[in-house]
Amino acid sequence: MMKSSIQAIHWTGSSLQLLDQRRLPHEEVYLDYQEATAVADAIRDMVVRGAPAIGITAAYAVVLAAQQHLSASPGNWHAPLMRDIQRLSEARPTAVNLVWALERMQQRLSRAGDDPVAALLGEAKRIHQEDIDANIRMGEEGAGLIQRGDSVLTYCNTGSLATGGYGTALGVVRSTWAAGKLARVFAGETRPWLQGARLTAWELIRDGIPVTLITDNAAAFLMQKQQVQWVITGADRVAANGDVINKIGTYQLAVVCRYHGVKMMVVAPLSTLDMGMPDGRQVVIEQRPEAEVLEQAGRRIAANGATAWNPAFDVTPATLVDYLVTEAGVITAPDREKLAAFHANLPGGGSGSHN
Ligand code: MRU
C-alpha cells in the first residue's frame, strides 16, 4: 500500500479546516470554519468536493453546529442544530454521502447523553477514519483485477481530495502503482471544473506517480489506439440496480469503453450505495452555473450571446459497468439481483449503506 500525503479535511480540536480546492494547484490555502452554515456554503461553492469528502465535512459541521448552539443557548440548541443539518443537506443534491453522513450524525445525536459535542465529534472522526479504511481496502480489491503492464484512464478527482484520504478510483491507481503493475496513468481534464487537470494531476505528481493528461474529447482516440485497458472512476451514488451517477462525462466514457473492449471499473464505498433508489432515473442531477462553461478563470471564452447547459453529473447504466469495487468486495457486471444479494450479505444487513 502507498500512503497519500494529502489531507484536505482537518479537525483542529475546535474548528474545521478545509483545503480550498478552488485555488489548487497553484495555491495551497486552508480555510478555517467555526459555523455549520459557512461549511454548507463551502460545500456548495466547491471549497471541498467529492462525494465522501462532502459527507465527512458535513459530519464535522454538525459538531460545529452543536458547539455553537449549545454555548449560545444551552436551553434551546436542538432546533437551531436541526436547521443547520437541513441546510447542510441541501448544499449539493446528487452525492448520497452527504445525507448518509448527516443521518448517521442524527442517529448518534439521538443517543448522545449529556455530552452531545463529544459524542458527535467521536462519530465524525469514525466516519472519517472508516472512509480512509474503506479506500485502502478498495485499493487492494481494485488492484487485484488489473494485469501487470496495463494502463488506465481515470476521470474527475477521486483521490485524497475527494475522500477522507487515499481515494476511491485514485486509491486503486495508487495501490496498483505501488504494486509495480501500472504502465501508464492517463487523466481526463474533466471540463468544465477541471478536477482532472487541476486536482488529480496535482495529487499524483505530489505522490510521485507520473500522469499524462488528455482533453476529455481525446478519450475515444486513446482507446482506439489501445493505449488503455481500463477506465476507473468513482461514483456520487450507485442505485439499487447498479446504475452509476458520477461526474458528467462518465457515461460517454463507459459507452466508448464498451465499443473498444476497454474495462469499466467503478470504485465506491458502501456509503455511496443507495439501495433506496431503484435506478438512476430518480436522481436529482445538480445543475451548475453557466459561467463555469462560458468562462475560464473569470474571463469569458464563449461567444457573447451563447448560453450553456451545465449538468454536473450523469447516469451510467449498470449494463456498461464491468466491475463495481466496494470495501466489502467486487461485484462483476452489477445488476439489481447481484446488488440485492450483496447488500443482504453485508455484516449488519447493509447498515453501512442506504436501505
Ligand atoms: O463535482 P465534484 O467534483 O464533487 O464531483 C466529484 C465526482 O464526481 C467524483 O467522481 C465522485 O465524487 C466520486 S470520488 C470519491
Side-chain angles (χ1 to χ4, degrees), residues 166-189:
Y166 202 67
T168 56
L170 218 59
V172 172
V173 169
R174 280 193 163 93
S175 296
T176 318
W177 182 264
K181 293 206 295 188
L182 272 188
R184 279 187 90 175
V185 180
F186 293 89
E189 287 181 306

Side-chain angles (χ1 to χ4, degrees), residues 96-97 100 236-243 268-277 324 326 331 339 342-343 346 350 352-355:
V96 74
N97 305 63
W100 171 86
D236 282 77
R237 196 184 286 252
V238 177
N241 70 338
D243 286 354
L270 297 176
S271 55
T272 303
L273 193 54
D274 186 359
M275 294 302 283
M277 179 169 283
L324 176 62
T326 78
I331 305 171
L339 266 169
F342 168 82
H343 190 255
L346 290 173
S353 65
H354 295 260
N355 296 296

Side-chain angles (χ1 to χ4, degrees), residues 172-311:
V172 172
V173 169
R174 280 193 163 93
S175 296
T176 318
W177 182 264
K181 293 206 295 188
L182 272 188
R184 279 187 90 175
V185 180
F186 293 89
E189 287 181 306
T190 320
R191 281 274 295 154
W193 215 73
L194 299 175
Q195 286 93 333
R198 297 193 305 106
L199 309 179
T200 297
W202 179 78
E203 274 200 35
L204 289 176
I205 287 163
R206 214 175 140 123
D207 283 348
I209 304 175
V211 57
T212 302
L213 278 172
I214 61 164
T215 60
D216 301 327
N217 35 3
F221 195 47
L222 186 80
M223 292 184 207
Q224 194 185 50
K225 292 279 182 194
Q226 299 181 323
Q227 295 290 304
V228 287
Q229 288 67 48
W230 292 91
V231 165
I232 310 183
T233 73
D236 282 77
R237 196 184 286 252
V238 177
N241 70 338
D243 286 354
V244 169
I245 296 98
N246 192 48
K247 179 53 54 195
I248 188 75
T250 304
Y251 170 45
Q252 67 191 23
L253 283 175
V255 170
V256 175
C257 273
R258 186 55 55 90
Y259 183 83
H260 290 98
V262 169
K263 297 286 176 216
M264 176 81 189
M265 185 196 300
V266 174
V267 186
L270 297 176
S271 55
T272 303
L273 193 54
D274 186 359
M275 294 302 283
M277 179 169 283
D279 61 62
R281 285 173 302 184
Q282 288 87 34
V283 76
V284 176
I285 299 286
E286 177 184 6
Q287 293 287 331
R288 304 248 348 142
E290 289 183 48
E292 287 183 352
V293 177
L294 301 173
E295 297 173 4
Q296 270 285 265
R299 188 164 167 264
R300 185 152 180 121
I301 50 167
N304 283 333
T307 58
W309 181 59
N310 187 18

